Amino acid sequence: MNIVEYADRDQLAIDVAKELAEALKQHLDQNPYASLAVAGGTSPAPIFDDLCAVDLDWERVSVMASDERWVPDTSDRSNATMIRQRLITDNAKAATFVPFYRDGETPAEALPKVADQLNTHLPLSVVLLGMGEDMHTASLFPGVEGLEQALAADAPILVEMRPDSQPEARVSLSAHILNAALSKHLVIYGEAKKDALNRALSLPPEQAPVQAVLAGMTVHWAP
């Protein structure tokens, strides 16, 4: 794991967008296609604003969320909606977005079919994750039923999680899928999350799920 510190969040967004773009370009130089999995929420949005304008062969890039709330794309809680608005635009409009949510189906009904679709995009070329102060990443929350399966080496590509703190079911790429990405980046802001990351280093993944993906990770931190 490598930690890079920035003076402010604006500089972080600019530099991380450049790193992601370079990682995608390097992958495309050696492969016909590249895949990018990204966190939802507010933290990565400024990075997307810079990344979407990069001159890249976006037609050869597939984009997906690292995790998703099981809500329609019309919901303001949908990660897919934010990713489409902030990343799949400008030059990156040519990229292919791979959604997880399927209207009219439960996660149990949809996930095997979505996983079959994702198989062609694995291993992930690049992943951009966030982390909560509780040391969760994607939708891998500590203490949630099903976490042990999601952390297992033989876990399915996608897992359903139902954290008590959330009003709806979530689906997440499992830990081994995220950890196998060829280029891994974690963005965190503020002293509280820096402290949480330091705690995670000495805890097992069952208590600090982010621990399961830190090997070879580049962590980007700003106040």
Side-chain angles (χ1 to χ4, degrees), residues 11-139:
Q11 190 60 51
L12 181 150
I14 293 168
D15 285 1
V16 172
K18 288 180 180 178
E19 285 203 34
L20 298 179
E22 183 59 30
L24 289 169
K25 286 178 181 177
Q26 289 181 0
H27 190 82
L28 289 171
D29 284 345
Q30 304 294 327
N31 300 274
Y33 300 102
S35 54
L36 170 65
V38 297
T42 57
S43 295
I47 299 169
F48 298 163
D49 293 340
D50 290 313
L51 182 59
C52 70
V54 169
D55 184 12
L56 186 70
D57 193 354
W58 287 104
E59 291 184 356
R60 296 163 58 201
V61 178
S62 59
V63 178
M64 69 193 74
S66 60
D67 62 308
E68 180 62 281
R69 300 173 181 90
W70 202 253
V71 295
D73 291 356
T74 52
S75 171
D76 60 6
R77 290 180 58 77
S78 167
N79 285 339
T81 297
M82 187 279 286
I83 293 167
R84 284 190 173 107
Q85 290 174 347
R86 302 292 287 269
L87 179 56
I88 311 298
T89 186
D90 203 337
N91 288 338
K93 192 173 184 178
T96 299
F97 183 71
V98 184
F100 296 166
Y101 178 80
R102 295 200 175 190
D103 193 37
E105 296 186 73
T106 67
E109 293 168 339
L111 292 195
K113 291 176 280 188
V114 179
D116 284 344
Q117 184 182 9
L118 293 180
N119 250 323
T120 60
H121 304 286
L122 300 178
L124 295 169
S125 310
V126 183
V127 66
L128 173 66
L129 296 172
M131 184 197 74
E133 291 180 25
D134 63 355
M135 297 172 286
H136 85 268
T137 192
S139 282

Side-chain angles (χ1 to χ4, degrees), residues 151-164:
L151 294 173
D154 60 351
I157 294 171
L158 284 169
V159 291
E160 179 182 358
M161 309 296 290
R162 291 185 177 271
D164 293 338

